[in-house]
Every structure is written in structure tokens, then in C-alpha cells.
Amino acid sequence: MDETLALLARLPEAKILAGGQSLLPMMNLGLAHPGAVVDVNGLPGLETVTEDGGGLRLGALVRHRTLETSPLIRRRCPVLAEAASLIGNIRVRHRGTLGGSLAHADPAAELPLVAVALGATLEIRRLGGSREVSAAEFFRGYLLTDLAPGEMLTGVRIPASPPATGYGLAELVRRAGDFAIVAACAVITTDGAGACRHASLAIGGVGPHPLVMRRAEALLAGGPLTDRRLAEAADAVPGEVAPESDVHATAAYRRAMARVMASRALAQARARAAPGPGRPA
Amino acid sequence: MTRRAPGEHPAPFRIVGRPLPRFDVADKVQGTTLYAADWRLPGMLAGRILRAVYPSARIRRISVEKARALPGVAAVLTADDVPQNALHEDPTGLGLSSFATPVLAADRVRYQGEPLALVAAESEVLAQAALEAIEVEYEPLPGVFDAGAALAPDGPRVHPDRENLLIHWKLRQGDVEGAFRRAAAIVERTYRTQRVDHAALEPEAAVAWVDGDGVVTIRAATQVIEHFREIAEILRLPHNKVRVQAPFLGGGFGGKEDMTVEPYAALLAWKTRRPVRMVWTRQESLLARPKRHPFTMSYKTGATEDGRLVAQEISLLADAGPYPLLSPRVVFAALVVGCGPYRVPNVKIDARAVFTNNVPTSAMRGFGAMQVTFAYESQMDLLADQLGISALEIRSRNFLRKGDRLPTGEALETQAALPHITARAVEALGERSRPSAPSGRVGRGIACNMQPYGRTVWFRDRAQAWIGFEADGALVIRAGVTDLGGGQAASLAQLAAEVLGVSPDRIAVHIGDSALTPLAGGTFATRQLYMSGNAVVKAAGELRAMMIPVAASLLEAAEPDVQFADNHAGVIGAPKRTIALARVVKECGRRGIPTALLSGFQGEHAAPIDLETGQGRTFPDYTFGCHAVEVEVDAETGAVRVLKLAACHDVGRAINPQSVEGQIQGGAVMGAGQALMEEVALEAGINLTTLFAGYLIPTAMDVPDVRPLVVESGEGKGPFSARGIGEPPTGPPPAAVAAAIQDAVGVRLTDLPMTPERVFDAVRARPARPEHEARGKV
Amino acid sequence: MAGAAPLRVRFVLNGSSVDVWAAPHETLLAVLRDTLGATEVKYGCGEGVCGTCTVLLDGAPINACLLLAVQAAGRAVTTVKGLGAEGHLHPLQRAFVAHEAAQCGFCTPGMLLVAHAFLADHPGPTRDEIRSAIAGNLCRCTGYTRIVDAIEACAGTGKGARGEPASR
């Protein structure tokens, strides 16, 4: 690890090669001509999945395929497993990594969205130091993260979810496996009696990075999880997003779909947050 | 799966009509098939093309010195290095006009991606470096990017010496004005189809070299080996000094019908005297390889109160890009079948193609007839709505029948089993599905089509085939056909096996070599079975006729009692009296009777149509079909999922039912892709769709099981009464899906593709009404 | 990186050891096709979306166009020629022939490998599960129905079954 970090410090123009599912296409297309590539695939300890309190700690090199199939992840954090299953195709998932997807920071990608919605913490290391940053602060802009030259993402911590927590994930894709046009991830914790203790809602594909829907979250917190309340929260979403038009969809459509996907994600989250002890998100 | 139309006769065939495994599939599953890019020769160079960055520009300067000086670069060529830098075309095939298309752009660029220069280097990496070292100074110019605007008399011209109108075909029959005045119902709409890419999984590729006899040889993924003539012209070589070989293609669909890599690989090989491999990148292919024409189609259709069509007034406009390629012929096919498989007494059609500075457009599976299906079928449904009759009913009242006059004035010579075909397709849908979610709405639709097979009859189409016995009784077929994956080669073996009694596993088929296989014309226009199939049956029949008397004499039987089957000559009714065909071959040799021959099939020929009225003979025949579709529309997002797709076509006779069904399934899915998700988007001539990730073709999760339904009317002009099936299945899906969407959510879309956003917008714009219920029209 | 010194790469290809030199930037696809002559692995897009370059890396299907050749060091790579024993077709290959699940055949090697890896873990899949498994392998010729038929026909036979002779 130290050798790797030393290399990254010495060669700031070097590209990190993890899954290669974003870097290699750019090289094949002539869009990237890295002077050096640092292959981190052999680094020990970066592919582990461990319990961390009631939550999870995932190494940055955990493959999408592992996220999709690991029994521990499916139990502790099923939204992560579901999000991973929607990525690309099976071949991409065998190589692509959690850290790679987060570092690449495509605004329509599933893992950045879920990381933000879950309030994940990212572990970053450089030669001679390390730091942590919240997922929401990690994503800065279109394909832009908080990573500085010489730094490398090494792990992701997912907090424990309280009992009576449910999640929802809804995305609008043209074909299965494509990047989403719009995607929504919701996490709702109830008090066990139908009221909302905490709600988290993030939308992807409507801005340069996943956006947290603070107004919607505020509308839900502390109140009853009625259909009407959920609808009000979803209705608050279009006002909080700033999508752009592109060849795949217009801004108006993305805005409208943000509401629909939010509504579906919230409904799923509510349904999964069954009353009773110890049921994880 | 295959049922007969009423009145059909069962076929007494041994080999034809059986779902035999194709010999090429066994190789393909083992990965041993060598496609064009798999061919390796010692000393092979990598060839690449430098492509224009602007859609319309003058080339002030192009400088290749730096590129030529790079290590490992064997050649850098520009327009000046091309012996004849022009492809001379007769775009209509009628001698009306001529056109010279540059091989490499010299001083003017007319579309983004137009080839400017060629490099050959020791490796792909070095070739790429050479491309980047070529300096080009452009002066961007105004361009023409809208087909409608291209017709404006005072706008920019794509070519300085001619107007933007490339072709204007006309069809006039009867009196449409009068008919509309008397019509009880009239529907007027404009429909738009999009630019589509063939997206064959194999990118364009060739290896070219100069052989020991100085023959420039190009082993290319091409549908047409006859292009050796054009390459010879470009190189200023005699035609017999250029040879094109076509291995099995990884899909063509019309995208490999015009030349793609061939002239460029040939130029580099000819210049360097070394083998050159040129493989286009997928992104290059998406950028610049000619696409399906986007059509704007304005239809005005009139009918009587009981739904009989009285008039069609149609205006078609196709964006032809800057060079003619096959545009005039695509638009002609659209003209001929523009009214669909229906009787219409009064017709006025104006079909135009215009030059623009958008990406070139040319042949693609369906060839104009595909686009108009969307329009004429949508019109039928809208008329039915207006008149309060069902989609089935309005069609039944107007279906063409054998003997009816087509809008071109010619009589339909073969059976049009449309009622039966349509009934089969509808029946196959079964019970209506329930929605899978509260926001889901299920709807159903049908669409019928007619697609010509065989080339226009003015072209004196011809196909040759050579058939011969080996001494051991095995058979060899040599035919210049190209196999795109549709079983073109295997079907020839199946036909010869039927006539000559040689088992298919003892037949070797050599195809696709302009120096060694008799020319058969290319694989396009759904012509190969009709032309080469007939040629093989003819040759086999002539050979059989020569050998039967010899066999009869050996068997001491009367000639009519002799049959060839299972590699033996035998006596009908006397199973013990047989001899091996090898023996017959030997005896023929002894008597000086040939056991091999070359023969040919001449397609129908007639004079060209009248250019003012469009009246006259056009295509030899047509294939009719009907698809029935069930979709579920997510009313909240506009997303459309195809739940069921039944596709029925009358193929006359299914030579190999399994291959026929495969073509139907694949074509239907291609049509579904164009209905819902495919589009090459251009903006001011700049192609926005250059990643395969962005060009959406259906995956296995985007389409359901496709039910292929084969009708055999026993009437077709191909071998054993077969009709062509390559193109027809691409036509109906867009119209059928549009009808199903209307059934589901009450909106009729007129622009392809019918993306979720377009469906969503249409539903939002729909006047408020009670919760829509499926009307159960199908 | 273009111009950097070649590296020696040793891996196992279809059960046999191979020892080649590869430039650092060269993909496994390029080395397989151009250095090792394994042209059964195809180039279709270079983006990882079409599936024609599918190989198995230690049994898992991956995009050969998105792996640097040097990353294959010490690993086992399987192409379609590694399916089935010598001279015998794998049951999947036999099923593809019997059901005519290949027309042009360009997607077929990749499709077979993905299907093989899938069936190894899922002995009794539904048709929808099969469709999901092959969703990343594009086909433009068949419309997929016959491919699903062939894979479904093989489900339950498991890997390692001996196939029929490979001759036509």
C-alpha cells in the first residue's frame, strides 16, 4: 500500500487502474492517454467486506459482483446489492469496483447515489496520511470528486441502520444496465408505529452529482408516513433539482421523472420499513 | 409453427422444407469461422482513415510530411495519390444522371467523417500516431442540415454544379382530387422516421494484398463482391486484376452493401505492396458509415363510409446525405409500396431525396418499404377510428388479392394471403396480459406490410451457379453469393440436395470469390434466394437431366422411373434396385457426358416505368406479412415494454423452416428497436451518437419471445415457389407498436423512435378524459 | 505509455501455458487476437457493451477489451475454444446448432461463454433469468428467442458433460 501511495505521490499524472471499466474504454477510444497507470488490483486488504458495528466496511476494490451476491451485504445493506445488480452487464460487474465507481462519479451512476442516500463515509489515503469525507461532500461536480492528486479511495463505511428502516431504489433506464436517466434512492426509518423518524432521499441524473432532497426529507421527518405526505415530499423534488437537457432526455422530462422516481423509492422504503425490532435497511 | 394457407398443396419434398442444421453454424459455435478481421498475413500493416472533422468545409491545406516521417509508417495517401479519385455512379440505374463521388476528399468536405487521407503502419498504435500527425487546415462553410430546407431554391448547395434535389419519383393513378371530394372520411398526418444504424456486431473490415500474379485481392466483409470493378476503376487496373473475396459476414443488413473499407484497404495494399488490414472502430462506423434514410412522410388518405380506400395522396422526403449511393432506389421502393398491401383506385405520390451535409444514407434492411409501413398502417388505424370500425375490419375490406392492380398499374401475379396471415398473427397473441404495476396500461396493435423481393425489373438481374460432381459422388457448388448470416450458403446446398439427391453433408459450397465463383449479384434486396436459389435449382436440374439417362441405362429402367436420393440412383417402387451416384458419375465420364456445368437464372425483365406517372412493371414480386404486438405502457414515465410479438409472413415455400423463422424473429426485433429506442442523432451535421453505449439496440431483456409464424401459400417466384424473407420482418413493428400504445394510453405517436419521453409528452398533451380503457380492437 | 518497454506476461489459455510479450497499454483482446492468434475472441466496440470480446478470467466472464494484457498474468483465460473437450462439442454448442441459435455467429463465442458461466451457478433458470444473464451480450441477427431456447435446453446438464463429436 505504501509503495502504491508513494508511486501516486511521485506520478501525479498517473491513473489508478482498479476495475478498468471506465478507464479502459476511454483509452480504447483515444480519450485518455495516461502517461502511467498504477494497477491497484493486487493490493491486499482492499477487497474485504467486514461488519463495522452494526454497519459495514467495504474495501474500495470490492467488485460490483460481490456487492450483488455477498450474503452479508444482502442482509445488512440490501439497497447496495440491488444498486450493484443494475450496473452495466455481468462482465462489467465482475471487474468494476465500488471505489472505481465512486471515484469516477458519473452523475447517473447507482453507487454514488446510494452512497449519498445512506450517508456513507469514504476513507481516503495518501502517502503519509489519511482522511475521511462524507459521500455527500465527496461528489463535487460532473465527474469531479474531492480526491486530490496522489490520493486514493481505500474504503467505504456504511452506518448501521436503526431498526424499522426500509430503503427504496427506483430508476428510469432506457435499457437494463444502461446509465439511468433519473434514479432515486430513499431510506426511511420509522418509529415502529407508522411515523417517520428519519428520511433520506437522493436523486441522480438531475445535476452534476447526486442531489440530496433536503426539503422532501424535512417534509417527511417527524410526521406520519401517509400517502399524502409521501406525495407532498415527492412533489417537492422538482423544485430542488437542476437537470440539463441532453441527447438522452430534456430537462423538463428529467424533472418530471425525478418526482416519479422519488415517489416510487419512497413508497418502497415505507413498505420495507416494517414495524418491529431489528429489521435492517 | 408452419401451417398452410387454405388451398395450399402439401409439398412432396425430401430435403427442402426440413429444418436442417446449417453447416456454417457448427463452425460458428466453435469459433473457427474466420471473419474478415481474423485473416492474418505475414508483414501485414494496419490501415486507418483520417476523417473530416466538419460537416461542410473547404480543405485549405493538408500536410502529410510529418506523418510520413514517423517510424513504422509505410504510407500516407491523400486524394492526389488516388489514380482515379472518383466513383462514377448512375444513381437511378436509368441513365438519367451521373454522379462522381470522391474516394478521398480533395478540396471540399461534405459530411463529418468524410475520408481525407489514409495511413498504413506497422501497428494500430503507429497508424493512430500517423493520423494525429497529419495536418489539415479547414475553412468551415455553411451547410445544409435539414431535408426540408434543402429544397429551398435560394439556400446553400451541397454540390456547386447541381441543385439539392437528387431525385423526384412520381406516381399518378386516377383522380385523387375528385376522390377526396367524395370521400366520407379523410385523415391527414405527417410521420417521421429516424436515422438508424445497422449495428451489425462485426465492424467493417478487410485485409487486402497483392498476390503473386499482381492481382489486388481484398478479403472483405462485403455483401457485394462485384465491387471489384469499381476498385479496378479507382486503381486504373484492368477489371481482371482486382479480386474481392467475401468470407462469412458478422451481419450486413445493407450496411456492407456499398463499399466500406474495400477501396481504402486496396489503395494501401496496392501502394505499399504489403498486406494491409483495415478494421473500422465501432465509433468510426457509427460516425460515418451510411445510415438508413430518415423519412418525412405526409399522407392524406380518403375512404368511403364503410372503410374502402378511395384515395392516397403522399409526399415522401428522404435525407440522402451528400452523395447519392443507393438513395434513389430506396426512395423508389418506398414509392412503389407507399400505399401498402391495399387496393386504392386513386393515388398521387411524390417521393423525393435531397442532398444534405448530414451523414450519408443508403441501403438498410427494408430499403424504403420499411419506413412507409409506419405511415400507411398508422393511416389505416386512424381511418378506422374515425369511421368507428376495427383495425382488422378496415384492413380486410381493402387487402390486395391476386390479380388486383397495384398503384403502378401492374397486376399482382401471386397470392396475397393477407386474411390468413393476419388471422394467424392475431390469434397468436392469446389472452390479454394484465398490467404488472398500478401505472401499467396494456394495449395491442397490428400492422401489415408488403416488401418487394428481387431487384427492380429494369436491371436485367442475373445470377450464375456452377454445380459439379466429384468422382466419389460428393457435390460442389460454386456461386458468388455472400453469406451475411442468414443461411445464404446453406440454402443453396439444401436446394441442390433436393434436386440431385446428394445428402447435404456431402455438398461443399464455395461462395463469395470474384475470381473463382460465378457471379451471382450481391446479397441485398431480398434477392438471393430468388436469384441464386433459382440458379442452383436450374443448374442442378440441367445436370440431372443429363445424368438420368445414364443412370436409367445402368439400372435397366425407364427414365421416368429413376430417382436420385440419399446419394444413390434408384428405381421408384423397387428399393433394392439402387446404385451409388458415384457409379453414375463414373459411367458419365466413360461416355463423355458432363457431370458439372455452369448455369444462370435471368430475373424478370421489363422496360422502365413512365417517369411522369410511375406506371409500369417494377418488382418481380412481394412478400406479405402481419405482426401483432402487445405492450405495456407505464403511464407515469411513458416507458413501453413489449410483452408479446407475433410475426407472420407468407414465404411461399420455406426451404429451411428454421432459418426462415430465425430471419423473421431477428427482423422483428430489429423493427422493434427502431420503433422504441434506436436513433442516430445529428445536430447541424455533427453526429451525437458515436458510442455504442449510446446507440440503443434491443438486448435480450428488451424484447419478449418472438413467435414466428410461417405461411406457405405455394406461390412465389423463387425456387420451389419460395419468396424472400430477409427484409420483410423489419417493416411492421413500428406501426404495430404505435397502435398498441394508442390502445393502451389513447395517444398516436407519429415520430420514431417512440421514446418514453415522447410517449409521456403525448399522454400529458392528450385532452382530459376518463380513465382510458383498452378498446379491445385486436 | 505507448513506446514503453514490453513486459513479459505468462498466463494459461484454454488450459495451456502461454508466454508472451505485451506492451503495457495493450489490451488482453489485442494480445489474444494478434499475438496468440485467438481470433475467436472478437472486437465489436471497445467499450465493453457488446460482449463479442467475452472471455472467462478464472471462470468469470469479463470484457477482454477492458483488461490490460499484463493484468492476465498468472490467471486462467478461457475462450470458446476452451469449451468442451477436444473434438467434442460442449452441450451448449450442440444446443446452439440444434436450435439454430446462431446466424452470423459473431456474437456466438461471447454468448456461449456467458451462458456457460451462468449455467454453472444456476442449474434451473427461468427464461427471464436467462434473458437477464445474457442481457449484456448483444445480438443483431436472431432476436434472442432461439438463444434462450438453446440455453434453456442445456440447463440442468451441468458443466463437464461430454459433448458429441465436433465434426459437421
Side-chain angles (χ1 to χ4, degrees):
Chain A
M1 171 67 76
D2 285 336
E3 204 182 311
T4 304
L5 296 174
L7 262 175
L8 291 175
R10 196 162 54 80
L11 303 165
E13 79 284 4
K15 286 283 195 185
I16 293 175
L17 174 61
Q21 305 301 289
S22 302
L23 178 61
L24 266 286
M26 300 211 308
M27 286 169 63
N28 286 340
L29 267 48
L31 297 172
H33 305 95
V37 157
V38 178
D39 180 357
V40 300
N41 283 285
L43 285 176
L46 285 187
E47 279 199 69
T48 54
V49 177
T50 49
E51 304 190 38
D52 181 40
L56 284 172
R57 195 237 165 231
L58 307 158
L61 272 178
V62 171
R63 310 278 169 184
H64 300 328
R65 188 64 180 153
T66 305
L67 293 176
E68 191 184 348
T69 57
S70 149
L72 177 59
I73 294 175
R74 287 164 74 117
R75 215 174 43 247
R76 280 280 174 100
C77 193
V79 67
L80 204 50
E82 186 178 330
S85 76
L86 298 171
I87 297 174
N89 55 61
I90 185 78
R91 303 181 306 278
V92 166
R93 296 200 291 279
H94 272 295
R95 293 296 301 169
T97 63
L98 171 62
S101 176
L102 296 176
H104 185 62
D106 189 292
E110 289 85 357
L111 293 179
L113 173 69
V114 168
V116 167
L118 289 174
T121 305
L122 277 50
E123 299 168 358
I124 296 169
R125 286 187 63 178
R126 60 175 158 63
L127 187 66
S130 65
R131 63 186 180 95
E132 289 185 354
V133 65
S134 72
E137 283 161 21
F138 178 73
F139 300 106
R140 295 282 168 156
Y142 179 67
L143 302 182
L144 227 55
T145 69
D146 191 50
L147 285 171
E151 285 191 324
M152 188 174 118
L153 197 52
T154 52
V156 179
R157 284 205 322 277
I158 315 279
S161 50
T165 299
Y167 77 90
L169 182 60
E171 63 172 19
L172 179 67
V173 279
R174 293 296 304 276
R175 300 176 305 177
D178 285 347
F179 276 108
I181 295 181
V182 171
C185 184
V187 184
I188 291 181
T189 303
T190 73
D191 64 358
C196 175
R197 281 218 343 244
H198 177 75
S200 168
L201 178 65
I203 315 275
V206 288
H209 54 76
L211 296 179
V212 176
M213 299 289 104
R214 304 237 177 264
R215 272 201 60 214
E217 290 175 347
L219 272 169
L220 289 169
L225 286 165
T226 57
D227 286 352
R228 182 157 149 200
R229 198 49 86 86
L230 256 52
E232 279 170 11
D235 285 343
V237 163
E240 276 199 280
V241 298
E244 291 192 344
S245 295
D246 64 15
V247 72
H248 301 294
T250 62
Y253 184 65
R254 285 182 195 267
R255 206 182 284 274
M257 291 304 104
R259 189 190 63 73
V260 175
M261 293 301 122
S263 168
R264 293 181 181 182
L266 288 170
Q268 286 172 30
R270 180 181 65 176
R272 289 192 179 107
R279 183 170 158 150
Chain B
M1 277 291 185
T2 300
R3 265 194 263 151
R4 305 220 147 65
E8 263 180 67
H9 305 291
F13 301 121
R14 285 182 333 262
I15 311 283
V16 161
R18 285 181 43 200
L20 298 179
R22 286 172 22 194
F23 70 82
D24 51 291
V25 176
D27 298 325
K28 287 165 180 174
V29 300
Q30 295 176 79
T32 53
T33 309
L34 292 175
Y35 299 86
D38 300 332
W39 198 248
R40 297 155 77 227
L41 292 174
M44 193 164 71
L45 297 165
R48 295 289 307 277
I49 298 177
L50 180 73
R51 294 182 178 275
V53 167
Y54 296 99
S56 177
R58 192 161 291 128
I59 300 173
R60 285 247 199 81
R61 183 180 68 87
I62 177 164
S63 168
V64 302
E65 283 78 42
K66 290 198 183 122
R68 280 196 180 128
L70 287 177
V73 173
V76 181
L77 306 180
T78 61
D80 291 337
D81 299 305
V82 182
Q84 178 183 293
N85 191 31
L87 270 168
H88 292 292
E89 303 174 74
D90 169 14
T92 60
L94 291 173
L96 300 175
S97 62
S98 71
F99 199 93
T101 301
V103 177
L104 288 176
D107 52 358
R108 186 81 164 76
V109 162
R110 293 193 171 84
Y111 68 96
Q112 184 199 24
E114 183 164 11
L116 302 179
L118 307 175
V119 312
E122 299 288 344
S123 72
E124 295 284 343
V125 170
L126 291 171
Q128 177 68 32
L131 285 182
E132 289 166 14
I134 298 174
E135 294 167 354
V136 184
E137 209 178 291
Y138 297 95
E139 182 195 323
L141 294 171
V144 182
F145 304 117
D146 175 75
L151 283 170
D154 49 355
R157 283 185 165 191
V158 178
H159 299 283
D161 58 339
R162 60 183 76 212
E163 52 174 358
N164 291 332
L165 180 67
L166 165 59
I167 186 75
H168 178 184
W169 298 106
K170 297 175 200 165
L171 195 155
R172 307 278 185 268
Q173 195 184 91
D175 166 30
V176 292
E177 291 307 322
F180 280 129
R181 277 195 295 274
R182 294 187 301 273
I186 295 178
V187 170
E188 277 188 82
R189 282 289 192 288
T190 297
Y191 301 89
R192 286 186 186 80
T193 65
Q194 77 281 48
R195 243 172 233 98
V196 173
D197 189 89
H198 313 69
L201 269 293
E202 176 198 32
E204 292 70 24
V207 176
W209 66 95
V210 184
D211 78 5
D213 299 319
V215 174
V216 178
T217 307
I218 305 104
R219 186 177 186 277
T222 181
Q223 298 175 221
V224 179
I225 59 177
E226 283 80 357
H227 288 311
F228 72 89
R229 297 172 181 137
E230 282 130 292
I231 298 168
E233 298 283 320
I234 290 167
L235 296 177
R236 292 224 166 95
L237 291 174
H239 285 198
N240 62 4
K241 287 299 197 181
V242 178
R243 174 181 182 185
V244 173
Q245 300 174 320
F248 282 96
L249 270 69
F253 315 115
K256 295 165 180 163
E257 183 174 333
D258 297 302
M259 291 198 291
T260 60
V261 292
E262 301 95 295
Y264 307 111
L267 275 162
L268 289 170
W270 170 80
K271 178 77 174 180
T272 60
R273 285 304 196 258
R274 285 175 62 181
V276 174
R277 180 176 70 185
M278 176 175 282
V279 179
W280 286 1
T281 67
R282 173 64 59 182
Q283 297 73 34
E284 179 178 18
S285 178
L286 282 168
L287 173 75
R289 201 254 290 105
K291 312 291 171 216
R292 185 194 287 291
H293 294 76
F295 267 48
T296 302
M297 307 175 283
S298 295
Y299 272 63
K300 180 177 177 184
T301 314
T304 63
E305 206 170 287
D306 64 341
R308 270 167 237 287
L309 296 173
V310 294
Q312 283 270 27
E313 185 173 342
I314 300 169
S315 174
L316 306 174
L317 181 61
D319 181 333
Y323 300 113
L325 296 170
L326 292 161
S327 300
R329 305 182 199 199
V330 169
V331 177
F332 179 73
L335 175 98
V336 171
V337 297
C339 297
Y342 306 109
R343 278 186 309 280
V344 192
N346 302 287
V347 180
K348 178 175 185 239
I349 309 182
D350 290 279
R352 294 178 178 86
V354 289
F355 289 124
T356 67
N357 293 105
N358 292 323
V359 65
T361 46
S362 194
M364 181 168 171
R365 195 179 188 185
F367 209 81
M370 181 265 165
Q371 290 94 318
V372 290
T373 307
F374 180 56
Y376 61 68
E377 284 302 275
S378 298
Q379 288 291 96
M380 295 301 275
D381 286 342
L382 291 172
L383 267 174
D385 282 352
Q386 210 177 320
L387 292 167
I389 58 183
S390 76
L392 268 171
E393 196 51 52
I394 193 169
R395 287 169 171 82
S396 308
R397 291 177 191 177
N398 292 285
F399 277 145
L400 281 169
R401 289 177 303 235
K402 183 172 176 178
D404 281 342
R405 220 162 56 114
L406 300 178
T408 51
E410 42 188 341
L412 185 61
E413 293 175 349
T414 59
Q415 190 188 144
L418 285 153
H420 179 68
I421 292 167
T422 306
R424 293 278 314 276
V426 171
E427 174 198 34
L429 283 188
E431 287 230 341
R432 188 175 275 256
S433 304
R434 284 184 219 285
S436 65
S439 58
R441 309 274 180 274
V442 174
R444 296 182 156 195
I446 62 167
C448 302
N449 79 326
M450 65 189 288
Q451 176 88 33
Y453 66 90
R455 296 182 80 189
T456 322
V457 297
W458 333 310
F459 284 119
R460 290 200 178 278
D461 206 7
R462 207 156 170 258
Q464 294 183 286
W466 182 99
I467 299 197
F469 275 96
E470 300 288 11
D472 63 350
L475 197 69
V476 175
I477 302 174
R478 296 193 176 102
V481 308
T482 54
D483 193 309
L484 278 50
Q488 284 85 3
S491 66
L492 300 183
Q494 199 161 353
L495 292 166
E498 182 68 48
V499 176
L500 286 168
V502 180
S503 56
D505 63 314
R506 297 205 83 218
I507 303 180
V509 184
H510 299 285
I511 58 171
D513 188 326
S514 69
L516 299 181
T517 56
L519 296 178
T523 300
F524 53 80
T526 309
R527 69 179 280 286
Q528 208 51 274
L529 188 63
Y530 165 55
M531 296 299 299
S532 292
N534 275 331
V536 163
V537 168
K538 182 160 176 281
E542 289 165 8
L543 195 55
R544 187 175 184 277
M546 289 196 295
M547 293 170 69
I548 285 276
V550 176
S553 131
L554 286 175
L555 287 163
E556 293 174 351
E559 286 179 24
D561 297 332
V562 174
Q563 68 176 9
F564 286 177
D566 302 318
N567 302 306
H568 284 76
V571 179
I572 299 171
K576 294 224 170 75
R577 288 167 67 191
T578 72
I579 47 173
L581 280 175
R583 242 196 95 195
V584 180
V585 172
K586 190 167 176 188
E587 183 65 16
C588 284
R590 215 182 58 78
R591 298 189 195 186
I593 292 176
T595 52
L597 58 79
L598 171 72
S599 189
F601 176 75
Q602 189 80 43
E604 289 183 37
H605 176 257
I609 51 163
D610 180 306
L611 292 174
E612 283 307 310
T613 62
Q615 301 296 299
R617 287 274 290 137
T618 59
F619 293 100
D621 196 21
Y622 303 87
T623 297
F624 297 94
C626 179
H627 294 196
V629 149
E630 183 184 84
V631 306
E632 180 173 353
V633 182
D634 182 332
E636 285 182 346
T637 65
V640 178
R641 226 168 33 101
V642 180
L643 301 179
K644 295 184 182 177
L645 203 175
C648 186
H649 290 271
D650 171 10
V651 300
R653 176 99 49 213
I655 305 301
N656 183 322
Q658 199 166 49
S659 292
V660 167
E661 290 175 0
Q663 287 283 289
I664 291 175
Q665 291 173 318
V669 167
M670 191 175 265
Q674 294 177 195
L676 292 169
M677 55 183 65
E678 297 184 34
E679 178 158 27
V680 175
L682 265 68
E683 208 171 274
I686 299 295
N687 192 331
L688 304 174
T689 315
T690 55
L691 291 182
F692 213 23
Y695 187 73
L696 308 180
I697 69 170
T699 70
M701 288 185 71
D702 295 306
V703 284
D705 288 339
V706 177
R707 287 207 52 199
L709 305 160
V710 178
V711 165
E712 294 182 283
S713 60
E715 288 190 32
K717 298 196 178 176
F720 301 106
S721 312
R723 303 188 199 219
I725 193 59
E727 291 177 281
T730 55
V737 170
I741 292 172
Q742 178 171 7
D743 186 39
V745 287
V747 294
R748 170 67 60 156
L749 271 71
T750 55
D751 288 13
L752 294 183
M754 295 176 283
T755 62
E757 182 165 351
R758 284 183 170 157
V759 174
F760 175 81
D761 285 346
V763 169
R764 287 296 154 278
R766 188 187 65 195
R769 52 199 277 171
E771 183 58 39
H772 179 82
E773 279 179 50
R775 276 169 281 169
K777 289 188 291 185
V778 175
Chain C
M1 272 197 311
L7 301 167
R8 193 169 180 189
V9 189
R10 270 170 282 211
F11 60 97
V12 174
L13 177 61
N14 295 331
S16 304
S17 299
V18 295
D19 190 343
V20 293
W21 291 90
H25 65 270
E26 253 186 297
T27 62
L28 178 63
L29 176 65
V31 167
L32 284 173
R33 285 182 57 80
D34 295 333
T35 310
L36 291 165
T39 56
E40 68 272 22
V41 187
K42 306 300 182 197
Y43 162 77
C45 74
E47 298 172 32
V49 305
C50 73
T52 61
C53 74
T54 306
V55 296
L56 302 182
L57 186 70
D58 295 331
I62 62 148
N63 295 306
C65 73
L66 300 187
L67 195 79
L68 295 179
V70 298
Q71 293 182 281
R75 315 287 291 265
V77 174
T78 310
T79 75
V80 72
K81 289 192 175 167
L83 268 189
E86 190 179 306
H88 296 273
L89 287 180
H90 186 279
L92 268 172
Q93 290 169 317
R94 261 190 295 137
F96 267 54
V97 173
H99 290 265
E100 204 172 282
Q103 291 185 26
C104 85
F106 205 76
C107 77
T108 305
M111 194 73 77
L112 284 166
L113 289 169
V114 166
H116 172 71
F118 172 69
L119 288 181
D121 290 334
H122 300 82
T126 63
R127 288 181 76 88
D128 280 346
E129 285 168 343
I130 293 172
R131 282 182 178 277
S132 178
I134 63 170
N137 287 68
L138 299 176
C139 174
R140 198 54 159 159
C141 294
T142 67
Y144 302 105
T145 305
R146 291 265 173 78
I147 293 174
V148 178
D149 290 346
I151 296 171
E152 191 182 35
C154 278
T157 58
K159 57 179 179 181
R162 278 191 54 202
E164 281 177 352
S167 56
R168 293 179 191 172

